């Protein structure tokens, strides 16, 4: 990756208000070229609203956006030809065949017939759509529809692809295949911004932003985010996990507790294992506490915990 290449996306102070609701709250984002950048956040955290603003489909209430050197919303029209956008909802025509959908998109992008045929043949091979060419899109499986949607989104060879929870309707096998396709695109030089609420998907990204209630609560490489975690992840084995969880959740050193099978996964301030052990023992619960490797869910729990404390809640 050339260090001199300007970033694909630069947003500063990006905000969107819907009446009294602030859906996106003063986001600062920088996405470098040819990276797979993740947007991780629960439902309602502002992922789709941000993506719509970055596509030029929605005007921000405040802030500055530059995408591929274009200033939004002013240059939205010029930008359209250079970006691809795929939403969580299948946006192609159910009553057209795979071939007709792609032909239609090629015409929409004013691609000449000969070039369109060559490009569509290429997409058939890349996304295993050739044998489905004459099938109506409405009769395809979730995974097949997703391959068609991706083919449609990249047909005009966009430099930047924005994907809004693209894997929400597909099985695990198709998800894996889809992510491989995304990395192929990035390797070929495209920039990808992908939103997800799934930790395992976010963990695959080169870098990511974690959103909560419209605010950027953390960003960086998955590795760096996990290393910078302001706490330790502990696995706790004890006979009454539900009771232990209720007790631990009330301790000030504890940032988050989740039950995983018969164990508890606890995110606690550094060096507090002893205090946790004592608290459980005092309540008559023998526990075995073992440090475990952190994951992005821990980062999310820590980041949103801090946000709630700042807001006094
Ligand atoms: N057009 C709209 N009008 C009013 N509220 C909206 C609109 N679009 C989104 N919202 C609200 O903004 C918040 C963020 O939504 P969204 O960006 O869709 O989050 P996400 O994609 O992370 O689930 C939610 O509270 C949602 O209800
Ligand atoms: Mg959304």
């Amino acid at each position: 990756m050339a260090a001199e290449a300007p970033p694909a996306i630069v947003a500063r102070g990006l905000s969107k208000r819907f009446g009294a609701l602030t859906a996106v709250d003063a986001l600062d984002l920088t996405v470098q070229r040819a990276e797979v950048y993740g947007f991780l956040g629960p439902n309602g955290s502002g992922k789709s609203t941000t993506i719509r603003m970055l596509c030029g489909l929605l005007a921000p209430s405040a802030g500055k956006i530059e995408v591929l050197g274009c200033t939004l919303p002013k240059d939205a029209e010029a930008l359209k030809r250079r970006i691809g956008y795929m939403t969580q909802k299948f946006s192609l025509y159910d009553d057209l065949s795979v071939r007709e959908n792609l032909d239609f998109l090629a015409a929409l992008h004013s691609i000449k017939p000969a070039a369109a045929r060559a490009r569509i043949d290429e997409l058939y091979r890349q996304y295993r759509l050739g044998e489905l060419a004459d099938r109506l899109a409405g009769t395809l499986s979730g995974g097949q529809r997703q391959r068609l949607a991706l083919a449609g989104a990249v047909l005009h060879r966009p430099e930047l692809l924005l994907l809004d929870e693209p894997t929400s309707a597909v099985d695990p096998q198709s998800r894996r295949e889809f992510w491989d396709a995304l990395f192929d695109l990035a390797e070929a030089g495209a920039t990808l911004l992908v939103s997800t609420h799934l930790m395992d998907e976010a963990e695959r990204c080169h870098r990511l932003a974690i959103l909560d209630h419209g605010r950027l609560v953390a960003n960086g490489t998955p590795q760096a985010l996990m290393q910078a975690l302001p706490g330790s992840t502990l696995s706790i084995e004890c006979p009454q996990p539900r009771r232990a969880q209720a007790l631990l959740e009330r301790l000030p050193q504890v940032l988050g507790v989740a039950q995983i099978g018969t164990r508890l996964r606890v995110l606690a301030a550094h060096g507090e294992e002893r205090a946790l052990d004592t608290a459980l023992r005092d309540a008559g619960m023998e526990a075995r506490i073992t440090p475990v490797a952190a994951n992005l869910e821990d980062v999310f729990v820590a980041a949103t915990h801090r946000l709630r404390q700042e807001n006094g809640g």
Side-chain angles (χ1 to χ4, degrees):
M1 216 188 303
E4 313 79 46
I9 299 176
V10 181
R12 292 291 174 263
L14 184 61
S15 297
K16 182 68 191 181
R17 288 182 289 275
F18 295 111
L21 175 82
T22 302
V24 176
D25 193 358
L27 280 196
D28 289 335
L29 282 176
T30 306
V31 178
Q32 302 297 340
R33 301 236 178 193
E35 75 178 351
V36 177
Y37 193 92
F39 256 15
L40 174 67
N43 282 339
S45 56
K47 303 182 297 295
S48 297
T49 304
T50 304
I51 289 177
R52 283 187 206 117
M53 291 192 283
L54 296 175
C55 287
L57 293 170
L58 188 68
S61 309
K64 284 190 165 59
I65 312 175
E66 269 203 22
V67 176
L68 304 174
C70 294
T71 302
L72 289 179
K74 179 170 69 72
D75 303 329
E77 207 45 49
L79 186 66
K80 257 187 203 154
R81 284 187 292 272
R82 300 171 58 199
I83 64 174
Y85 173 46
M86 186 173 154
T87 62
Q88 54 208 106
K89 228 181 116 247
F90 187 69
S91 53
L92 298 175
Y93 294 99
D94 276 344
D95 52 352
L96 293 184
S97 69
V98 167
R99 183 195 312 279
E100 288 164 341
N101 265 298
L102 294 175
D103 283 346
F104 177 74
L105 280 172
L108 213 62
H109 288 297
S110 314
I111 303 174
K112 298 221 169 67
R117 216 163 309 126
R119 177 63 175 147
I120 290 170
D121 280 340
E122 186 179 30
L123 292 169
Y124 282 167
R125 282 193 299 279
Q126 225 159 5
Y127 299 115
R128 297 192 291 112
L129 292 167
E131 59 275 35
L132 304 171
D134 297 314
R135 286 266 299 274
L136 294 184
T139 69
L140 301 177
S141 73
Q144 293 167 338
R145 284 157 81 89
Q146 189 197 37
R147 293 194 328 256
L148 174 58
L150 183 61
V154 301
L155 188 132
H156 59 301
R157 302 182 191 281
E159 295 159 64
L160 169 67
L161 194 55
L162 300 115
L163 304 126
D164 193 2
E165 300 208 31
T167 62
S168 53
V170 301
D171 59 275
Q173 170 63 36
S174 301
R175 283 216 289 143
R176 188 157 338 124
E177 190 183 350
F178 185 79
W179 274 88
D180 287 341
L182 297 191
F183 280 104
D184 285 341
L185 288 164
E187 207 164 283
T191 305
L192 290 94
L193 188 146
V194 193
S195 75
T196 181
H197 61 269
L198 303 170
M199 304 291 165
D200 65 317
E201 292 198 338
E203 236 163 74
R204 291 171 159 237
C205 297
H206 294 126
R207 288 196 308 136
L208 72 147
I210 301 183
L211 303 185
D212 188 48
H213 293 97
R215 284 171 68 176
L216 181 81
V217 293
N219 73 317
T221 66
Q223 218 48 45
L225 287 170
M226 289 186 264
Q227 273 162 14
L229 203 61
S232 324
T233 309
L234 308 169
S235 176
I236 300 188
E237 249 180 297
C238 60
Q240 292 170 281
R242 299 303 293 167
R243 217 185 119 218
Q245 177 166 4
L247 183 145
L248 290 168
E249 275 169 348
R250 287 195 300 271
L251 298 181
Q253 303 95 326
V254 171
L255 307 175
V257 188
Q259 186 167 355
I260 313 286
T262 57
R263 295 162 188 232
L264 296 177
R265 185 182 178 89
V266 177
L267 182 65
H270 287 304
E272 296 287 349
E273 282 101 311
R274 242 343 218 298
L276 267 51
D277 190 51
T278 307
L280 288 168
R281 239 170 255 283
D282 287 350
M285 284 181 277
E286 286 288 319
R288 219 180 65 181
I289 303 184
T290 349
V292 289
N295 64 27
L296 271 184
E297 191 159 348
D298 303 317
V299 173
F300 183 79
V301 168
T304 52
H305 187 85
R306 193 174 57 218
L307 187 68
R308 278 197 304 280
Q309 282 186 326
E310 279 168 14
N311 291 343

